[in-house]
Amino acid sequence: VQLQASGGGLVQAGGSLRLSCVASGSLFSINAMSWYRQAPGKQRELVAAITSGHSTNYADSVKGRFKVSRDNDVVNRKNTVYLQMNSLKPEDTAVYYCAAAPRTYGLTLEERRYEYWGQGTLVTVSS
C-alpha cells in the first residue's frame, strides 16, 4: 500500500486547510486510515481516524474544528482520506502524516498498528 499526502501550507490563525491522502495498491488489505501529526520537539500524535465504513475518532484537541472523511473509489482502485481543518490555531503547526492499518483491526487508535505511512506534509499556522 502506498500513501501520498498533500495539501499542507501556511495559513493564518483562524483559517482553514484541507489535507488529502491517496492510498493505492493492495487496498483490500487495509481498513482504518488516520492522520497523525508531529510538532517540533513533540511526539507524534493521532489527530483523526476513519474506517472504510466511515466510523471516526478525533483527538480532543481538534474536535469540532477538524473533520475527517473518506472516499473509497473501487473503480479507480484508490482510497482518498481528507482532513478538513478549520479554525486553525498556531498549536496545530506540525508535520501531518497519513497512515493505514491492516484490515485485521477496526478503528484502531494505536500507532504501532499502522503499518503504512505516507510522507509528511507541513502545516504552519501563523498567529
Side-chain angles (χ1 to χ4, degrees):
V1 176
Q2 296 79 45
L3 303 177
Q4 181 72 40
S6 61
L10 173 64
V11 64
Q12 289 188 333
S16 299
L17 276 177
R18 189 176 81 156
L19 305 183
S20 300
C21 176
V22 178
S24 58
S26 301
L27 299 180
F28 66 90
S29 66
I30 64 172
N31 183 1
M33 293 183 67
S34 293
W35 287 98
Y36 281 79
R37 67 185 181 187
Q38 187 167 23
K42 295 187 177 181
Q43 288 190 329
R44 189 159 57 187
E45 63 175 354
L46 178 69
V47 176
I50 186 168
T51 66
S52 56
H54 303 282
S55 296
T56 60
N57 189 279
Y58 295 90
D60 288 342
S61 60
V62 306
K63 283 180 181 176
R65 299 189 299 122
F66 291 12
K67 181 178 181 181
V68 63
S69 60
R70 179 168 176 166
D71 177 27
N72 300 321
D73 187 346
V74 177
V75 173
N76 293 305
R77 300 180 183 179
K78 64 178 183 179
N79 289 346
T80 305
V81 175
Y82 302 97
L83 186 67
Q84 178 65 45
M85 304 185 294
N86 299 324
S87 302
L88 282 161
K89 304 175 181 180
E91 51 264 43
D92 294 318
T93 294
V95 177
Y96 285 71
Y97 299 89
C98 61
R103 185 164 291 280
T104 307
Y105 308 110
L107 187 59
T108 181
L109 307 181
E110 295 186 48
E111 183 174 337
R112 64 184 177 88
R113 290 180 171 175
Y114 284 87
E115 295 186 7
Y116 308 102
W117 292 83
Q119 89 291 1
T121 185
L122 177 62
V123 172
T124 304
V125 184
S126 63
S127 57

